[in-house]
Amino acid sequence: MTSSAKTLDGGWGWVIVAACFMAQFLAYGAPQSVGVLYPEWLHIFQEGKGMTAWVGSLVSGVGLIASPVCSACVDNFGARPVTIFSGVMVAGGLMLSAFAPNVQFLIFSYGIVVGLGCGLVYAATLTITCQYFDKRRGLALGIVTTGTSFGAFIYATAQNELIVLFGLDGCLLIVGALALNLMACAGFMRPLNMPGYYLKQKAALERDNDEQLFEKPPLDELKIAPGSSSTADPEKALMMAKELLITIDGKDLVIQTEKKQGGLLATSAVVKVIKKKWRAYSKYMHAMADIMHDRVLVAFCVSVFLFSLGAFPPVLFMEDVAQSQGLIDGVSIVPLVSIVAIGTGVGKLALGTLADVRWINSIYLYAVTLFAAGISLLLIPITKSYFGLQVLSALVGFFSGNWSLTSYITTQIVGLEKLTQAHGILMCFGGFGIVLGPPVVGCFFDWTQSYDLAFYFSGTCVLLGGFTLFLLALPCWDRRKSESCRPDIQYTSSCDKVASVA
């Protein structure tokens, strides 16, 4: 399978978009609407708001922190196997949370297990979408990432009803069962390029006999019926041999090696494999370190961290803000979390479409969204009506739709070849911000018994992130660098010019 221009921006790519949309809908629906469950956990476990907030922050932040690892998994095994495995993790974590005896158990089952599963889904869906689209990449990513917002909107209202009908435990069990459909979404994620794991297996099959760690099985083990057309076609027989060899696990390899070469040589072969793996991982880490030398990418990472630190807490605390200020009794039919989700979905589509416009600089567009989101957060403490909170929730949600721009901007900065590594680093910064944001805001409330100082802190962080990105992305930095390097290049004759070019 090789990529070509004919497969991009259409055809099966739109099937990939639909499958990735549903995958993010199923994976992120419950975690993005965790604000609905937050008051229930406060009532049941009677813990502080800072401690309970760790559950909601970890479920959204752990997956992003582990993005480099998740991206490496997608590179090696492909989007389809990773999505299938993530479906088991998300569903298992949600169902396990139904039996949580305390907040500490929830931090593990809901925060870490579900969070890691969501991180794998996020890396897989964005990577395969970028592979299938070029000119319409912004629109495709906008549609895919809208799945999280649409899921948060549906799940926020649905979880309220499920809690009333079946209780909190029954709600988590039903939501976990729905998450198993992630494995069905994975079936449509046909890889455009062969994943790294299969390339390694192919390379291993082509080694010389003295470098092989296992011997090829005899032809009778391929289970080819005598007289069939496959026996007459050596290429088909070789393909079946490759498929059989790929399924051999590590234990079988060691056993076959010991039979052939003895225990001492088998040990040396294993050491050789370990050294080779270590060199590959070292090369991968050096490549990631080289990426961080880009000034714009570093500024983008800092801005994403500050935005995540300040803009995510409203998603978790907005409902509690309205209840603590006495603006509403209980939970409304359309919770504030759902309004944030609606705004985020609209923002992702609108901002993703704007990113495809040629004369719009996507980096500056992202900075503008940070400025607007920061101002909206600063207005929350001075709002004394529920309608005002609804409007500000919609605004914060709309400008939080800039998440659809992250892959687009990262591709522009480092290129498609380094997208998975750079995007993994970027999401790691965002994950740390999401993990730290809600506990910090919860501690501010436990300290002052008010959300005012917490939201002033959040708005300031977001504004600082926008200012940092806008300042460091200015083209004048590149001009100064080129001007400083220009006097060092002096040519005395045409021969020197030719020699320097050579």
Side-chain angles (χ1 to χ4, degrees):
M1 291 174 289
T2 59
S3 59
S4 62
K6 295 182 180 180
T7 60
L8 298 178
D9 299 307
W12 192 258
W14 295 114
V15 179
I16 296 293
V17 168
C20 293
F21 173 89
M22 286 303 302
Q24 293 206 9
F25 170 84
L26 294 169
Y28 279 92
Q32 288 292 320
S33 59
V34 70
V36 174
L37 305 178
Y38 179 72
E40 298 291 331
W41 288 331
L42 285 174
H43 176 71
I44 293 174
F45 299 115
Q46 297 295 317
E47 292 281 355
K49 294 187 177 183
M51 174 62 72
T52 310
W54 278 106
V55 181
S57 63
L58 285 173
V59 72
S60 298
V62 166
L64 297 181
I65 292 175
S67 287
V69 178
C70 297
S71 300
C73 291
V74 176
D75 278 342
N76 281 280
F77 303 105
R80 182 182 290 169
V82 169
T83 305
I84 292 174
F85 181 74
S86 66
V88 177
M89 288 192 67
V90 173
L94 289 171
M95 293 180 180
L96 194 61
S97 300
F99 306 97
N102 48 48
V103 173
Q104 288 75 18
F105 189 89
L106 273 177
I107 290 175
F108 168 74
S109 62
Y110 200 100
I112 297 178
V113 177
V114 178
L116 286 175
C118 291
L120 291 171
V121 172
Y122 195 78
T125 52
L126 293 190
T127 300
I128 196 169
T129 302
C130 289
Q131 290 176 355
Y132 269 87
F133 286 88
D134 183 19
K135 296 180 181 179
R136 299 179 181 177
R137 185 175 296 154
L139 176 61
L141 290 172
I143 296 174
V144 169
T145 54
T146 305
T148 62
S149 306
F150 189 70
F153 170 68
I154 298 296
Y155 273 69
T157 305
Q159 287 185 136
N160 277 332
E161 297 298 325
L162 290 174
I163 291 172
V164 173
L165 295 175
F166 305 103
L168 181 60
D169 298 344
C171 170
L172 291 171
L173 288 174
I174 293 174
V175 171
L178 291 174
L180 289 172
N181 290 288
L182 279 166
M183 291 183 282
C185 297
F188 295 95
M189 297 181 185
R190 185 173 65 193
L192 191 61
N193 301 308
M194 185 177 291
Y197 171 77
Y198 299 101
L199 291 175
K200 292 177 182 178
Q201 294 293 333
K202 181 180 179 181
L205 290 170
E206 295 174 353
R207 292 175 185 166
D208 296 330
N209 293 330
D210 56 347
E211 294 181 354
Q212 288 181 350
L213 299 180
F214 55 90
E215 55 186 17
K216 296 181 181 179
L219 191 62
D220 56 354
E221 293 185 7
L222 297 178
K223 298 181 180 179
I224 301 177
S228 63
S229 59
S230 299
T231 57
D233 192 346
E235 294 184 358
K236 291 183 178 180
L238 180 59
M239 290 299 297
M240 296 184 67
K242 290 181 178 180
E243 293 178 0
L244 181 61
L245 292 172
I246 289 174
T247 60
I248 299 177
D249 58 11
K251 288 185 177 180
D252 293 334
L253 293 179
V254 174
I255 292 173
Q256 292 186 22
T257 306
E258 289 179 350
K259 289 181 179 180
K260 181 181 178 182
Q261 299 177 337
L264 182 61
L265 293 178
T267 304
S268 63
V270 172
V271 172
K272 183 188 295 185
V273 172
I274 292 174
K275 289 182 178 180
K276 192 171 184 180
K277 292 288 185 181
W278 176 252
R279 287 195 297 267
Y281 289 134
S282 299
K283 185 177 179 181
Y284 182 80
M285 295 303 296
H286 284 301
M288 295 181 68
D290 292 337
I291 291 173
M292 294 303 295
H293 286 92
D294 192 292
R295 184 193 70 259
V296 180
L297 181 63
V298 172
F300 193 31
C301 290
V302 173
S303 65
V304 167
F305 170 77
L306 292 173
F307 172 74
S308 303
L309 183 67
F312 180 73
V315 179
L316 184 62
F317 291 104
M318 193 67 75
E319 210 66 45
D320 194 50
V321 169
Q323 294 180 15
S324 62
Q325 293 182 357
L327 301 179
I328 187 175
D329 296 329
V331 181
S332 63
I333 298 176
V334 182
L336 293 175
V337 177
S338 296
I339 296 176
V340 173
I342 294 172
T344 304
V346 176
K348 286 178 178 178
L349 288 175
L351 296 174
T353 304
L354 287 175
D356 287 330
V357 180
R358 289 186 177 181
W359 55 271
I360 293 181
N361 189 309
S362 58
I363 296 177
Y364 295 146
L365 176 63
Y366 188 88
V368 169
T369 61
L370 296 190
F371 287 128
I375 294 173
S376 301
L377 289 170
L378 292 176
L379 293 176
I380 289 178
I382 63 176
T383 303
K384 303 302 178 183
S385 66
Y386 190 73
F387 177 75
L389 285 181
Q390 289 177 323
V391 173
L392 292 176
S393 298
L395 290 175
V396 172
F398 178 83
F399 295 114
S400 296
N402 57 17
W403 279 103
S404 64
L405 300 176
T406 54
S407 298
Y408 190 93
I409 296 174
T410 306
T411 306
Q412 282 190 330
I413 296 174
V414 301
L416 187 60
E417 295 78 11
K418 300 180 181 179
L419 171 63
T420 53
Q421 294 90 346
H423 193 265
I425 296 172
L426 183 71
M427 291 298 101
C428 185
F429 277 85
F432 276 112
I434 290 176
V435 168
L436 295 176
V440 170
V441 171
C443 290
F444 274 127
F445 182 89
D446 294 336
W447 178 37
T448 62
Q449 295 300 310
S450 174
Y451 281 109
D452 293 351
L453 184 61
F455 279 95
Y456 287 138
F457 168 79
S458 298
T460 304
C461 287
V462 176
L463 287 175
L464 183 60
F467 178 77
T468 301
L469 179 62
F470 183 82
L471 180 64
L472 294 181
L474 291 174
C476 61
W477 296 97
D478 296 325
R479 293 175 186 172
R480 291 178 181 178
K481 184 177 180 181
S482 60
E483 290 176 358
S484 62
C485 296
R486 192 172 301 169
D488 296 335
I489 303 175
Q490 297 180 357
Y491 301 112
T492 58
S493 66
S494 59
C495 296
D496 291 338
K497 292 181 180 181
V498 175
S500 63
V501 172

